[in-house]
Amino acid sequence: MSDEPIDLQAALGAFDALWSPRIVTQVNDYDVRIAKVAGEFVWHSHDNTDEFFLVLEGELGIGLRDASGERVVTLPRGSVFVVPRGVEHRPFSTGGASILMFEPTGTSNVGDRHDRIPDHITATTGHALA
């Protein structure tokens, strides 16, 4: 963990891969991850943890499925949203976005989804920031 400030714009400029989160720092047992996204992710859930999203640039949609049905939340730049644990969700961005997420260290970005991962998605617990 760095003892110097981290410039998120510079960190985002250090990689191009979509749906491939980078760990910028840690807070207690949580990773602070950034990612560039475009298109659709996979439907998945995290049974043991909530997932926090902050949109740094662009716009992010999150499809949600639970016992009450299916809906979409739209997050413009500067918006935050928490997907509750166990809720199936699918992030997407038509025009592309940069996001920041908080997740417990070691959490897979594809949650419970381990099969049929599309080629444009990297299943990972986060990559180190170069």
Side-chain angles (χ1 to χ4, degrees):
M1 187 162 51
S2 175
D3 61 353
E4 294 295 323
I6 298 166
D7 180 329
L8 291 179
Q9 291 305 316
L12 285 162
F15 66 96
D16 292 319
L18 298 174
W19 301 112
S20 185
R22 300 303 195 260
I23 301 168
V24 291
T25 193
Q26 292 181 312
V27 178
N28 298 317
D29 297 330
Y30 279 75
D31 290 340
V32 179
R33 302 175 184 181
I34 55 172
K36 293 178 179 179
V37 301
E40 296 182 349
F41 201 65
V42 294
W43 283 101
H44 67 286
S45 64
H46 302 278
D47 290 337
N48 298 313
T49 186
D50 301 335
E51 188 171 12
F52 172 93
F53 292 88
L54 164 64
V55 178
L56 301 170
E57 293 292 334
E59 184 174 273
L60 182 72
I62 304 176
L64 301 163
R65 286 188 210 160
D66 60 17
S68 62
E70 190 171 319
R71 68 185 179 111
V72 172
V73 295
T74 302
L75 288 76
R77 179 180 177 210
S79 296
V80 299
F81 185 77
V82 175
V83 176
R85 71 188 69 209
V87 173
E88 192 175 17
H89 58 286
R90 179 184 53 87
F92 63 92
S93 180
T94 304
S98 296
I99 60 176
L100 182 142
M101 299 160 289
F102 284 102
E103 295 183 294
T105 299
T107 299
S108 171
N109 65 330
V110 295
D112 64 353
R113 188 71 184 264
H114 301 286
D115 62 338
R116 295 174 287 168
I117 305 295
D119 291 340
H120 71 282
I121 295 171
T122 301
T124 181
T125 58
H127 300 284
L129 186 63

